Amino acid sequence: DAGVIQSPRHEVTEMGQEVTLRCKPISGHNSLFWYRQTMMRGLELLIYFNNNVPIDDSGMPEDRFSAKMPNASFSTLKIQPSEPRDSAVYFCASIQGSSTGELFFGEGSRLTVL
Amino acid sequence: QQQVKQSPQSLIVQKGGISIINCAYENTAFDYFPWYQQFPGKGPALLIAIRPDVSEKKEGRFTISFNKSAKQFSLHIMDSQPGDSATYFCAASMGGRRALTFGSGTRLQVQP
C-alpha cells in the first residue's frame, strides 16, 4: 500500500491567502485524523472523521479552519484567511476498524504563512 | 482530563546505553498507550503499544513498562544506537474515541 498521501508537502503563502491541504487515507481505513505539529504545542488533534462523518472538531482553532471528507478516499483541510500563527506541519492519519490501534501518518504538509 | 505529560524534553545517551522516557496520564478511561517514533521530515510511526491489562511489553530492544495504579508508563530502549536518534511521543486513547492524545515529545540523541 502507498500509505497516507498528503499534498502539498510544502506550502509558502502570504497572510490572508487561502490554503488547502489534501489527504488520501489508506484504502479501507474508515477513520481519518488531522493533526497540527508545532514546537510550542506539539501534536494537536484538529478534527477526526469516522466513515466520512466529522466526529470531533473541538480542536479546530477557529472559524478560519474547515475540514471536509466528501468520500472515503479524500479529505481537505482549509484555512481562510491564513495567518502567520498558522505556520506548522499538518499531518493526516488514518486507521482501520472500530477499536483502538495503530494510526498511520502521512509525511505532513509544512505550511509557512508570511 | 485529556492531558498526557511526558519527560524529559530531551535526552542524550551514549551508544549502548539505556534510554528511558516517562509519561503520566490523568484520565483513567484511557485504555491504549502507544509510543510513536518520528524522524525529521517524516510523520510519526508506531513503535510499540500496550494495554492496561499487562504491566510490561517487550519488542526487541524496546520495552514499555506500565503502572496502572500510578497512571504512568515508560519506554526503555536497551543498547541504544545512533539510528535510534529521533523524537519519541507517548500517547493515549480510550474506547470508541480512537483519536490519540500525545505527550509533548522527547528528542533523543544517541552519541556514537
Side-chain angles (χ1 to χ4, degrees):
Chain A
D1 202 309
V4 176
I5 300 173
Q6 292 187 244
S7 65
R9 291 295 315 278
H10 302 274
E11 174 101 6
V12 180
T13 191
E14 293 188 347
M15 183 174 63
Q17 296 299 304
E18 177 179 296
V19 174
T20 298
L21 307 178
R22 298 172 176 79
C23 175
K24 176 180 170 55
I26 293 173
S27 177
H29 285 195
N30 61 338
S31 292
L32 182 142
F33 306 80
W34 283 100
Y35 281 87
R36 177 171 69 176
Q37 185 174 35
T38 61
M39 289 294 294
M40 291 297 296
R41 301 176 68 89
L43 277 160
E44 303 175 276
L45 176 68
L46 299 178
I47 185 171
Y48 81 94
F49 297 84
N50 190 40
N51 294 322
N52 311 337
V53 176
I55 301 299
D56 183 354
D57 64 354
S58 60
M60 297 286 263
E62 48 197 273
D63 292 345
R64 297 184 298 106
F65 285 69
S66 63
K68 294 182 179 180
M69 191 165 187
N71 57 62
S73 59
F74 183 67
S75 177
T76 59
L77 178 67
K78 184 176 294 185
I79 308 172
Q80 167 64 21
S82 58
E83 297 182 3
R85 59 189 168 130
D86 302 330
S87 297
V89 181
Y90 291 81
F91 287 103
C92 177
S94 67
I95 189 173
Q96 183 180 38
S98 58
S99 63
T100 51
E102 181 175 2
L103 257 63
F104 292 84
F105 282 80
E107 295 201 324
S109 294
R110 179 176 294 277
L111 173 64
T112 302
V113 183
L114 303 175
Chain B
Q1 287 297 317
Q2 297 290 327
Q3 194 172 15
V4 177
K5 296 182 180 179
Q6 183 172 346
S7 63
Q9 186 174 4
S10 63
L11 182 61
I12 299 175
V13 174
Q14 295 297 314
K15 179 181 176 181
I18 302 174
S19 304
I20 301 174
I21 306 171
N22 301 298
C23 281
Y25 63 97
E26 299 174 356
N27 191 340
T28 55
F30 286 142
D31 62 2
Y32 176 70
F33 302 90
W35 285 89
Y36 277 73
Q37 180 187 55
Q38 185 181 29
F39 293 104
K42 301 293 185 181
L46 179 66
L47 186 63
I48 186 173
I50 198 169
R51 298 188 186 274
D53 53 343
V54 296
S55 60
E56 185 174 283
K57 182 174 182 179
K58 183 177 181 179
E59 291 184 1
R61 296 185 293 109
F62 301 92
T63 300
I64 299 180
S65 296
F66 185 81
N67 186 330
K68 187 174 181 178
S69 61
K71 294 187 286 185
Q72 296 176 345
F73 58 110
S74 60
L75 175 69
H76 295 233
I77 305 174
M78 310 299 289
D79 186 25
S80 299
Q81 299 296 313
D84 297 330
S85 298
T87 300
Y88 293 81
F89 293 92
C90 63
S93 65
M94 57 183 170
R97 177 183 167 80
R98 291 177 291 157
L100 291 172
T101 299
F102 283 91
S104 55
T106 297
R107 179 170 291 184
L108 171 65
Q109 183 180 346
V110 181
Q111 294 185 333

